[in-house]
C-alpha cells in the first residue's frame, strides 16, 4: 500500500525516485513502519536488504523505499510482466522464521487475495525468496492511515466521521458473509486511499489476525488486537465470536473520531482492558443524542445487545446523521497527496450491504 509522496523514507537518504507514484519522495528523519501497511513496529533497521533495481520472483522490479521497521521493509515496485505498480511488504528472514509472524503474514496474504472489494486492500501474491524472507505483494495506494490523518485533524464532525467509516462497514458486511472476522479494527488499519481525481476511498487493511471458519487461518494463543477497541467477549477469550465483535471496534473508532479520545482508555494495558469490561462509555457534548444512542448500542458489553450486522449499524448511523439514502459527497480536507480530496460515499450511503465492486 502506498502513502503520500512526501512521507518518511530511509535514514541518510535525501530523495528516491518513485516513478509509479508520479513524484520524488523526500526523506525525513528516521525510518518508520507505516501503520497503513498492517503492523505497527518500532523502527530499528535501515533499508538494507533491497536496492532499487533488484528483482523478486523474477518479475517484481524494486523501485523505491516506502517505509522500514524492526521486522522488515516496504518498497514500491513494478510488475514487469504487466507494468502495474505494486507494494512489497518484505519481512526479514530472522522475523519470518518466527512461526507466529510467518503464520500471520501467510494468513494476511491468503485472506487478502480472496477478498475482491473496493474498500479492502488487494493482495496479489506471496513470495518466499531463497534468503528466507517473506514478501507480500499488495496494491499500491496513495494516501495515509486514518491514524496519521487524525494526528493532524484531532476530531471530525459527526457527518465526516460517519462518511469515513461507512465504507468500512460495507467492507465488513462483505467479509462477515464469508465467515471472516477482522479482529483488529482501529484507525491504523483504515487507509485513506486517494484516487487520481482526488476522491478519498477508505480501505480496510491487515487481515493478519483475522479469524476464519477455515481452521488453518486461525492463529492460536493469546488474545490479539488493540486494547482500546477489543470487544469484551474477546478479552474474556470466548470462542463463539461473530461479526458483532468487529462492530464494537467500529463503535469505539467512531467515538474517538468525534470526541477526540477512545471511549475506553487507561494508563496501562490492563487498566484499558478493565475499562472495556467494567465501565460504560460516557456521552459527550460532541455527540448528538440520536447518534450517541447508535454508538452506545454498538459499544454494549453483551453482543446480543449490539446491532446484529454491519448493514444494520451502517443504516442506523447514516440515518442518525441525516445521510440515509443520499449521495452527498462530503469534504475530507488535507489527506496527504494530490490536491482536492473528498470522501466517496457511493458504496456506503447508496449501496449498503453491497458485496463487491
Amino acid at each position: 500500500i502506498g502513502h503520500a509522496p512526501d512521507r518518511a523514507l530511509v535514514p541518510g537518504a535525501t530523495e528516491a525516485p518513485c516513478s509509479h507514484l508520479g513524484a520524488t519522495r523526500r526523506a525525513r528523519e528516521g525510518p518508520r513502519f507505516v501503520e497503513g501497511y498492517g503492523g505497527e513496529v518500532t523502527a530499528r533497521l535501515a533499508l538494507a536488504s533491497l536496492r532499487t533495481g533488484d528483482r523478486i520472483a523474477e518479475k517484481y522490479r524494486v523501485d523505491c523505499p516506502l517505509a522500514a521497521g524492526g521486522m522488515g521493509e516496504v518498497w514500491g515496485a513494478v510488475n514487469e510482466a504487466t507494468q502495474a505498480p505494486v507494494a512489497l511488504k518484505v519481512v526479514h528472514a530472522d522475523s519470518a522464521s518466527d512461526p507466529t509472524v510467518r503464520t500471520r503474514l501467510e494468513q494476511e496474504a491468503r485472506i487478502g487475495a480472496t477478498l475482491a472489494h473496493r474498500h479492502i486492500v488487494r493482495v496479489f501474491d506471496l513470495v518466499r525468496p531463497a534468503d528466507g524472507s517473506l514478501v507480500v505483494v499488495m496494491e499500491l495506494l496513495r494516501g495515509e492511515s486514518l491514524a496519521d490523518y487524525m494526528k493532524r485533524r484531532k476530531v471530525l464532525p459527526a457527518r465526516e466521521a460517519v462518511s469515513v467509516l461507512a465504507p468500512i462497514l460495507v467492507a465488513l458486511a462483505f467479509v462477515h458473509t464469508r465467515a471472516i472476522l477482522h479482529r483488529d479494527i482501529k484507525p491504523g488499519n483504515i487507509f485513506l486511499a486517494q484516487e487520481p481525481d482526488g476522491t478519498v476511498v477508505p480501505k480496510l487493511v491487515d487481515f493478519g489476525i483475522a479469524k476464519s471458519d477455515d481452521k488453518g487461518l486461525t492463529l492460536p494463543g493469546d488474545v490479539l488486537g488493540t486494547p482500546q477497541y477489543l470487544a469484551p467477549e474477546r478479552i474474556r477469550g470466548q470462542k463463539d465470536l461473530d461479526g458483532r465483535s468487529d462492530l464494537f471496534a467500529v463503535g469505539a473508532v467512531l467515538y474517538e473520531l468525534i470526541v477526540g479520545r477512545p471511549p475506553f482508555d487507561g494508563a496501562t494495558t490492563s487498566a484499558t482492558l478493565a475499562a472495556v469490561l467494567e465501565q460504560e462509555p460516557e456521552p459527550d457534548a460532541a455527540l448528538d443524542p440520536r447518534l450517541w444512542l447508535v454508538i452506545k448500542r454498538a459499544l454494549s458489553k453483551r453482543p446480543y445487545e449490539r446491532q446484529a450486522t454491519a448493514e444494520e449499524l451502517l443504516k442506523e448511523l447514516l440515518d442518525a446523521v441525516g445521510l440515509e439514502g443520499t449521495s452527498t459527497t462530503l469534504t475530507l480536507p488535507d489527506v496527504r497527496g494530490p490536491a482536492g480530496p473528498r470522501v466517496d460515499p457511493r458504496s456506503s450511503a447508496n449501496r449498503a450491504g453491497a458485496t463487491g465492486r
Side-chain angles (χ1 to χ4, degrees):
I1 311 167
H3 44 81
D6 65 345
R7 300 306 294 275
L9 240 174
V10 55
T14 56
E15 59 183 33
C18 284
S19 57
H20 50 279
L21 289 176
T24 294
R25 300 175 53 85
R26 295 191 176 276
R28 296 190 175 183
E29 292 183 4
R32 61 198 282 283
F33 198 92
V34 176
E35 284 182 320
Y37 289 98
E40 300 166 54
V41 184
T42 302
R44 297 193 301 271
L45 302 176
L47 299 180
S49 66
L50 291 176
R51 293 288 183 268
T52 298
D54 286 352
R55 297 173 77 237
I56 293 180
E58 299 185 352
K59 65 177 178 179
Y60 300 112
R61 185 184 73 248
V62 175
D63 191 353
C64 73
L66 298 177
M71 288 171 54
E73 311 157 6
V74 183
W75 287 77
V78 175
N79 183 329
E80 292 186 318
T82 65
Q83 295 303 303
V86 295
L88 305 179
K89 181 194 288 189
V90 183
V91 177
H92 296 152
D94 56 350
S95 297
S97 64
D98 182 304
T100 300
V101 173
R102 185 173 61 252
T103 299
R104 176 170 177 169
L105 262 291
E106 291 173 345
Q107 171 171 284
E108 178 183 1
R110 288 170 183 157
I111 291 182
T114 64
L115 299 175
H117 193 279
R118 176 178 173 83
H119 297 295
I120 298 174
V121 67
R122 296 168 66 193
V123 175
F124 302 124
D125 202 356
L126 176 66
V127 179
R128 297 177 176 86
D131 66 358
S133 62
L134 279 175
V135 180
V136 180
V137 183
M138 309 174 75
E139 180 179 10
L140 181 70
L141 303 172
R142 301 185 188 205
E144 63 184 325
S145 73
L146 180 59
D148 282 342
Y149 181 70
M150 291 307 297
K151 289 175 184 176
R152 300 192 307 280
R153 286 295 302 275
K154 307 303 181 186
V155 296
L156 298 182
R159 276 191 162 207
E160 263 186 46
V162 170
S163 71
V164 168
L165 292 185
I168 300 306
L169 284 166
V170 173
L172 286 175
F174 175 74
V175 301
H176 289 169
T177 60
R178 285 150 178 78
I180 297 171
L181 310 182
H182 187 279
R183 300 204 300 174
D184 199 16
I185 304 295
K186 60 181 179 180
N189 282 338
I190 296 170
F191 195 87
L192 304 177
Q194 194 170 56
E195 297 192 335
D197 67 353
T199 298
V200 172
V201 180
K203 290 180 181 275
L204 189 58
V205 306
D206 193 2
F207 282 80
I209 65 169
K211 185 179 188 300
S212 169
D213 272 354
D214 180 347
K215 297 187 187 305
L217 297 180
T218 302
L219 285 176
D222 298 333
V223 173
L224 298 171
T226 306
Q228 290 90 335
Y229 313 104
L230 279 176
E233 63 271 21
R234 290 204 52 220
I235 296 173
R236 295 190 183 100
Q238 290 179 211
K239 303 299 182 184
D240 55 338
L241 301 176
D242 59 28
R244 290 172 293 187
S245 60
D246 281 342
L247 303 189
F248 180 95
V250 172
V253 171
L254 181 57
Y255 183 102
E256 182 176 356
L257 295 182
I258 299 171
V259 176
R261 56 178 171 79
F264 309 103
D265 207 2
T268 65
T269 298
S270 296
T272 299
L273 295 175
V276 173
L277 291 172
E278 300 168 4
Q279 297 177 11
E280 293 298 327
E282 298 179 356
D284 189 273
L287 295 168
D288 175 84
R290 189 175 182 186
L291 179 59
W292 165 238
L293 289 177
V294 178
I295 295 175
K296 184 180 180 182
R297 183 183 176 196
L299 293 174
S300 296
K301 304 298 184 190
R302 301 175 182 84
Y304 65 81
E305 294 178 345
R306 298 175 206 144
Q307 292 83 357
T309 64
E311 293 97 332
E312 182 180 358
L313 177 55
L314 174 59
K315 184 178 185 305
E316 290 185 7
L317 289 173
L318 294 174
D319 186 55
V321 298
L323 287 175
E324 186 178 25
T326 73
S327 58
T328 304
T329 298
L330 301 181
T331 299
L332 187 63
D334 194 32
V335 171
R336 296 196 172 179
R342 55 193 174 87
V343 165
D344 179 2
R346 288 174 295 175
S347 57
S348 54
N350 294 328
R351 291 168 50 219
T355 58
R357 4 188 200 185

